[in-house]
Amino acid sequence: MNYKTVGYALLLSLSATACSNKLNVSKVLADAEQQTKVMLAEIPKAKASRSAVTTGATPGSAGADLVSPRTLDTMGRLRLVTSRDWTSGFFPGVLWFLNEGTGKNEWKTEAESYTSYIEKEKTNGTTHDMGFKVYCSFGTGYRLTNDQHYKDVIIQSAKTLSTRFKPSVGTLRSWDHSRDKWGFPVIIDNMMNLELLFEATRLTGDSSFHKIAVSHANTTMKHHFRDDYSSYHVVDYDTITGVPKHKHTHQGYSHSSAWSRGQAWALYGYTMCYRFTKDPAYLRQAEGVAKFILNHPNLPKDLVPYWDFNAPNIPNEPRDASAAALNASALYELGLYSSNGKYYKQTADKILQSLTKSYRSPIGENKGWLLLHSTGSKPSNSEVDVPLSYADYYYLEALLRSKKLKEGKQLW
Ligand code: GLY
C-alpha cells in the first residue's frame, strides 16, 4: 500500500480506532517481540549477502562494520549502517525497551551486544549526533542496568560532544558537511543531543555539560522559531558575531515551511530540557510547539502528520510515522508538567492507538520493522514511505511511557 492509498485505508480504520478499546500494551509488546526476532534473523543474512546498501562501510569488509538496521531500501532489502551513522543507536535502544517492557533476559543479552558495537563513537567528534547514537543505546542501557562501564561511555561521549560548542555562537555545531553553503549550521534536531549533556552533569557533578546544553537551548529558542512556534530546520550562524546568517531547510519542503519531524524534535527537546532545568521558558516553548502541531489545519485526523505541514499536495503526500511516534512520547512527558496535562496525555493515547492500528507492519513481514510509513528526506527522494529505526524506537518509548503512567511508575 503506497502513501496515496494509505489515506483511504486510514479513513476506514479511523472510525474503528475511535470506538476501539484502550490499547492492549502487553499484546503490542508481544507483537513487537515477534517482529524483532524476525529482524534479528534478517541482520546476519543482510550482512552476509552484501546486498545490503551500505552507509560508509569499509570496502571489502563484507558487512563486518555494519552494525544496526536503519530502513528498507527501494528493493525492500534491509539497509544496515555502521556505528558512525546517526541512526546506529536506535536498534540497540529498541532491544533495551523490549527488555524493560517484558523483563526477559534474552532481550538484555541482545541489547548488550548491539550496544557494544556503538562504543567507538564515544571519541568521534566529527558529528553532533552523539546523543542519538550513544544516549539511545548506552543511555537507555545505563538507566536499566546501572552498569558503570556504560556510565563511563556516556561521560566520555559528553566530553567529545562538548568540543563542538562555540561560545561566540552559544550552540553546538551540527554539521561539518556543505561548508560551501553554511558557516556554522545548527539544526533543530540537535536539541535531542542535549539529554546526553544534562545527564553527564547529573552523573559527574561537572556543570560544564549542563551549561552548554542550556546555552544551546536558549540560543535555539531565540533564533530557530517563528512567531507561531513553528521551527526552521537549519540556522546558519556567523561564527564571529553569533548572528544568524541564513534560516534554511534541508529535509523540509521550503525554507519557510514546517518540516514535521523538525517540529517533533522541538517538542521533545524542550519538554526534555524542562525535565532537567525546571525553567518555565522551556515549558512554555514546548506548549507552544504542541499547540502549533496539534492545531494545525493540515494535521490529519489520525494525528500522523504528512512529512511537512506545508507539503504542496496534501492530502496526496507521504506521512511521517516517526514524527507521530516522537510526538506521542513527548506529549506523555509534557503531560506531567503542564496544566494542559490531561489533554496531552489523551492526545498521546490517540496517536499511539492510531499508529498501532494502522501503521504497523504485519508480523513476519518487512524484515521485522514495527512501523511503516515514515519519511526520511522527501526533497532528496530518500527513504520515502518506509520503516525507519527511529520511528520504532520512539514508538516503543511511547508505548512504555503509556504503560508506566497506567501503573503509576516514573517514566525513566
Ligand atoms: N536527524 C535527522 C533526521 O531527523 O532526519
Side-chain angles (χ1 to χ4, degrees), residues 327-340:
N327 289 339
S329 192
L331 288 171
Y332 279 127
E333 179 170 7
L334 187 57
L336 298 177
Y337 311 139
S338 171
S339 54
N340 250 342

Side-chain angles (χ1 to χ4, degrees), residues 86 129 132 187 189 251 259 261 265 376 390:
W86 78 275
D129 289 319
F132 287 124
I187 60 174
D189 324 29
Q251 282 156 265
W259 172 51
R261 196 164 50 259
W265 293 137
Y390 40 103

Side-chain angles (χ1 to χ4, degrees), residues 334-366:
L334 187 57
L336 298 177
Y337 311 139
S338 171
S339 54
N340 250 342
K342 197 168 164 203
Y343 163 65
Y344 292 139
K345 183 185 172 302
Q346 283 172 348
T347 307
D349 286 344
K350 279 188 203 159
I351 298 171
L352 258 194
Q353 281 169 18
S354 190
L355 289 172
T356 302
K357 178 130 190 85
S358 308
Y359 289 79
R360 281 191 307 167
S361 166
I363 290 173
E365 293 180 25
N366 297 294

